Amino acid sequence: MMDLILAPWPWYVSGFLIALVMFLLLMMGDSFGMSSNLRTLCTICGAGKKTDFFQFDWKSQKWNLLVMIGAVIGGFIGAYFLSSNSGVDISSETVLSLKDYGITSSATSYLPTEIFWDFSIKNLLLLAIGGFLVGFGTRYAGGCTSGHAISGLSNLQLPSLIAVIGFFAGGLFMIHFLFPIIF
Amino acid sequence: MKKIIYLSIGILFGITMYKSEAASWFRIYEMFNFQAFHMYGIIGVAVVLGLITTQLIKKFNIKSFYGFPIKIDDKAKSFKRYLFGGLIFGLGWALAGACPGPMFTLVGAGFFSLLIVIAFAIFGTYVYGVFKEKLPH
């Protein structure tokens, strides 16, 4: 049993647990959407003084900040108590294609050390731009993977389907057209 | 008590993201190369089960744990904001390899460079708020 927990969890277990998280939040009278926290954090930082968009009672979102803090603690528990190996078993094709970009750490690290542990100017820029696009895009689209792909599609929302198609189109463009230029 | 429940739900979510490798940059890269079923399986199962529970909640007017009716809001009708916003989000998702949940999980897992991603995600959200009225929605 412990071996099963320490090994990476299969997709069907994970899919079930994500649906469970969404269900529990609905049953609490709330909803599953992680990116709202980014807006709340802006408000806490005082963004509401200048911009209406950030003028709301952030305390009403305290529950979601707690979920966010839980997600941090969950990452800590997952990485330090529930894992025996930190590599990621991606397909051999993926390993090969990453080699062309000089990324060879998938067998030993959860994230590519070449990007996340090498603080070159280029990497810092990549992380900053990546983060900026996620933050800007998610608020523009009114949700992220949890709010649109999981909650929105579960509620048969056409706007969420459009957003999810956008997520994938943007991701495909980044990986297939921009990565060969960047790396 | 309520606080502990929210924290626990978050912990369950964080452990799930980490242990399923959905928080790994490698898995996101693999997904966008269509080289494994893994991520599609995760999202697929979550959406199918989510769809069933959401529809059951709506059909049978299931009450929340606290006895209140569960209100599931429809998304505002529009096209441009979802497409443009989605595209921008997708570019960042593939580049940073993390979306707004996992980026927090990864900090807990000890990848402190994600703090840069989070700081700029907050900044990106702020810039959206400032220019909101000027953007096509």
Side-chain angles (χ1 to χ4, degrees), chain A residues 5-7 9 14 27 30 51 70-71 76 82 91 94 97 110 116 131 135 139-141 154-155 157 159 167 172 176, chain B residues 6 18-21 24 29-30 32 35 50-51 55 58 64-65 74-75 81-82 90 105 108 113 121 125 129 136:
Chain A
I5 291 173
L6 292 176
W9 293 356
S14 175
M27 291 302 287
D30 300 297
T51 314
F76 178 74
L82 299 177
S91 79
T94 313
S97 73
Y110 194 85
F116 290 90
R139 210 65 275 128
Y140 194 175
S154 291
N155 193 25
Q157 296 295 298
F167 296 168
L172 290 173
H176 295 277
Chain B
Y6 286 123
Y18 187 86
K19 286 303 298 174
S20 65
E21 300 175 339
S24 171
Y29 177 83
E30 181 187 53
F32 284 125
Q35 285 162 335
L51 185 69
Q55 298 314 313
K58 286 170 89 168
S64 76
F65 291 138
D74 284 348
K75 309 272 181 196
R81 72 171 296 184
Y82 298 113
T105 296
S113 43
T125 301

Side-chain angles (χ1 to χ4, degrees), chain A residues 37-79:
Chain A
N37 287 314
L38 297 171
R39 178 178 174 225
T40 309
L41 290 170
C42 283
T43 301
I44 292 174
C45 293
K49 279 179 213 141
K50 283 188 175 170
T51 314
D52 297 351
F53 182 64
F54 300 108
Q55 273 171 21
F56 69 103
D57 178 21
W58 67 267
K59 287 191 175 133
S60 67
Q61 286 290 309
K62 239 182 184 170
W63 66 270
N64 211 353
L65 293 175
L66 286 165
V67 176
M68 182 193 86
I69 294 166
V72 177
I73 300 169
F76 178 74
I77 296 171

Side-chain angles (χ1 to χ4, degrees), chain A residues 40-181:
Chain A
T40 309
L41 290 170
C42 283
T43 301
I44 292 174
C45 293
K49 279 179 213 141
K50 283 188 175 170
T51 314
D52 297 351
F53 182 64
F54 300 108
Q55 273 171 21
F56 69 103
D57 178 21
W58 67 267
K59 287 191 175 133
S60 67
Q61 286 290 309
K62 239 182 184 170
W63 66 270
N64 211 353
L65 293 175
L66 286 165
V67 176
M68 182 193 86
I69 294 166
V72 177
I73 300 169
F76 178 74
I77 296 171
Y80 294 102
F81 298 103
L82 299 177
S83 298
S84 50
N85 174 352
S86 49
V88 180
D89 190 21
I90 45 175
S91 79
S92 48
E93 279 171 286
T94 313
V95 173
L96 267 180
S97 73
L98 281 171
K99 229 179 193 169
D100 292 341
Y101 296 145
I103 294 172
T104 56
S105 53
S106 66
T108 52
S109 176
Y110 194 85
L111 299 182
T113 53
E114 295 87 347
I115 298 173
F116 290 90
W117 283 124
D118 170 17
F119 299 106
S120 65
I121 303 280
K122 183 183 168 181
N123 283 338
L124 293 176
L125 268 175
L126 292 184
L127 297 176
I129 294 169
F132 183 90
L133 293 172
V134 167
F136 185 92
T138 193
R139 210 65 275 128
Y140 194 175
C144 61
T145 332
S146 49
H148 276 311
I150 310 291
S151 304
L153 291 185
S154 291
N155 193 25
L156 299 171
Q157 296 295 298
L158 182 63
S160 295
L161 183 63
I162 300 166
V164 172
I165 291 170
F167 296 168
F168 270 84
L172 290 173
F173 187 79
M174 174 58 71
I175 300 284
H176 295 277
F177 293 97
L178 299 181
F179 266 33
I181 301 170

